[in-house]
Amino acid sequence: MEFPDQFLSATSRTRLTMLDVILWVSFTVPLLLLQLPCESIDGSPVPTVIFKGLSSTFHGFLVSVTLAFTGAFSALVVDDGSQFTRACRYLSMASMASALLFLVWALVV
């Protein structure tokens, strides 16, 4: 059985978008954070490798990563070109940028 060329060419290429990357990164970062040694600050675990003594920075980082995941997932699921999709895309990119800023801040301080 042979498939039409149009079917083969459409399935053989893989297109990776910015939202796919944000979704993958924001999904794996919390899994990696669970593997790091933590200290308990006010009852909340904070990784000692990067965020030692910076519990509010760590919590801001987690909120940003969560919003990035939510925005990317919503934009990819809906994907109809509406204002909602664009808003989710912008939320995702802005949240990932703020998560990177929190991470850089924790590494510099």
Side-chain angles (χ1 to χ4, degrees):
M1 179 174 160
E2 288 191 36
F3 294 105
D5 290 335
Q6 182 183 19
F7 178 76
L8 290 176
S9 64
T11 58
S12 63
R13 34 175 198 212
T14 302
R15 196 182 90 185
L16 195 61
T17 64
M18 178 68 79
L19 291 176
D20 294 328
V21 172
I22 290 173
L23 187 68
W24 184 82
V25 168
S26 61
F27 183 75
T28 56
V29 164
L31 294 176
L32 293 174
L33 287 175
L34 289 173
Q35 306 304 315
L36 296 176
C38 295
E39 65 179 345
S40 182
I41 298 177
D42 296 330
S44 299
V46 177
T48 57
V49 175
I50 301 169
F51 297 98
K52 182 158 180 71
L54 301 170
S55 63
S56 60
T57 304
F58 176 65
H59 291 201
F61 176 76
L62 285 181
V63 168
S64 296
V65 168
T66 303
L67 286 174
F69 178 83
T70 304
F73 185 76
S74 299
L76 287 170
V77 167
V78 175
D79 196 22
D80 61 354
S82 66
Q83 283 186 325
F84 176 74
T85 303
R86 281 194 301 276
C88 288
R89 186 180 308 123
Y90 293 142
L91 170 72
S92 176
M93 289 188 276
S95 297
M96 187 53 74
S98 67
L100 288 172
L101 287 175
F102 278 120
L103 185 63
V104 167
W105 176 260
L107 293 172
V108 170
V109 171

